[in-house]
Amino acid sequence: KGSIPRDLHRRRDAVFALAEAKDLLAEDSSIEKQEAAIEANRLSPDLVPAAVLAARAYINRGKSRNASRIISKAWQSQPHPDLKTVFYEIFPQEGDEEKLKRVQKLCRLNPDHLESKISLTELYLKQENFPMAQRVLKKIHKRDRDARVLTLMAVAEKGKGGDDQKIHELLNLAITATRGPQWVCGKCNTVHADWEPVCVNCSALDSLEWKVPPKDPTDFTVSEDLLPFLANEFKAKAPMKQKTSEKSLQMQENEKSK
């Protein structure tokens, strides 16, 4: 009576081990950090930050198969952008075809999850396979079209030579759309940039959840490889605004001279 359930106890141990791994990482004590990260992942394989650190620990040891197994198991439970990032780090020199095959296999572990669809879309866009990218995007329900999805839709439309007005409409929708999931405290709804074992606001232990916050932050992330497209789109808009402003100023001058 009054004892902590076994699963909860293991989870708490995993959180403490992960907190130790993060601290050791800050102190650059790699061997101890790797052991703590691997232990945290063993205790709670679905804890995303533990899976990320443990996979990187195995990558540093040259054990790519172990790293792949950890990411795959975590993806089955909770697909996350950080898992995808580490998944790419396992074989950094692989070609496009090999990478596509690996990502397709990973996404098949949780095919209906939004993160799986976004991951496939980004890779198709990087390979300029715009028809396949649009095919995946069409499978995303309208209610799930956050800023990331709408931005990818704009990139795909641009890539296939689509209508400029439609592209601008999609980018405008992206500006006001939900920014997607963040690390949010389940107790006080405080948004954190990264996972922390204790909430910085209410000090609750293991309270951070990967979800869309009640009040959206203003930033969102898309693949860095796609950012040049966005920059070109917004640069293209700038002269239009400038001309409108100059025209308005000229009208004001004409009114004054009358």
Side-chain angles (χ1 to χ4, degrees), residues 179-191:
R179 282 5 186 187
Q182 308 286 329
W183 287 113
V184 183
C185 176
K187 301 289 185 182
C188 68
N189 288 328
T190 297
V191 177

Side-chain angles (χ1 to χ4, degrees), residues 77-216:
S77 175
Q78 176 61 68
H80 189 281
D82 290 349
L83 294 173
K84 175 183 62 182
T85 299
V86 179
F87 193 68
Y88 288 154
E89 293 173 6
I90 298 173
F91 300 105
Q93 305 301 325
E94 70 183 343
D96 289 344
E97 289 300 319
E98 290 77 11
K99 182 178 289 185
L100 178 59
K101 288 178 182 178
R102 281 206 311 128
V103 172
Q104 287 174 331
K105 184 177 179 181
L106 178 70
C107 291
R108 280 197 293 269
L109 297 173
N110 208 327
D112 296 327
H113 197 282
L114 178 61
E115 213 59 55
S116 290
K117 295 172 184 175
I118 288 177
S119 299
L120 281 173
T121 300
E122 286 185 340
L123 198 53
Y124 283 132
L125 289 175
K126 290 173 189 174
Q127 297 179 1
E128 298 186 2
N129 190 340
F130 303 113
M132 281 302 297
Q134 288 191 315
R135 186 179 300 180
V136 176
L137 287 168
K138 286 179 180 178
K139 296 178 182 178
I140 299 176
H141 197 280
K142 283 187 177 181
R143 66 171 177 269
D144 295 326
R145 290 180 184 175
D146 58 22
R148 299 174 302 164
V149 174
L150 289 164
T151 302
L152 293 173
M153 290 174 67
V155 174
E157 188 68 23
K158 177 72 173 180
K160 72 164 192 176
D163 180 60
D164 284 343
Q165 184 177 349
K166 185 176 181 179
I167 295 167
H168 293 156
E169 287 175 357
L170 287 168
L171 291 176
N172 286 332
L173 287 172
I175 293 171
T176 56
T178 174
R179 282 5 186 187
Q182 308 286 329
W183 287 113
V184 183
C185 176
K187 301 289 185 182
C188 68
N189 288 328
T190 297
V191 177
H192 296 64
D194 297 301
W195 180 89
E196 297 291 344
V198 177
C199 174
V200 297
N201 182 57
C202 69
S203 300
L205 176 65
D206 190 26
S207 63
L208 268 60
E209 304 170 24
W210 184 251
K211 64 180 183 179
V212 177
K215 293 182 180 180
D216 258 330

Side-chain angles (χ1 to χ4, degrees), residues 7-62:
D7 288 347
L8 180 58
H9 185 72
R10 286 175 63 86
R11 171 76 180 197
R12 290 290 171 89
D13 284 348
V15 170
F16 289 136
L18 181 56
E20 180 185 356
K22 285 172 66 70
D23 289 340
L24 289 169
L25 178 60
E27 296 167 12
D28 206 23
S29 182
S30 58
I31 299 299
E32 293 178 356
K33 181 266 295 186
Q34 291 174 14
E35 294 296 339
I38 291 170
E39 174 63 9
N41 178 253
R42 184 187 69 80
L43 292 168
S44 187
D46 62 338
L47 186 58
V48 169
V52 168
L53 284 180
R56 284 195 169 125
Y58 279 124
I59 291 172
N60 290 338
R61 297 179 178 188

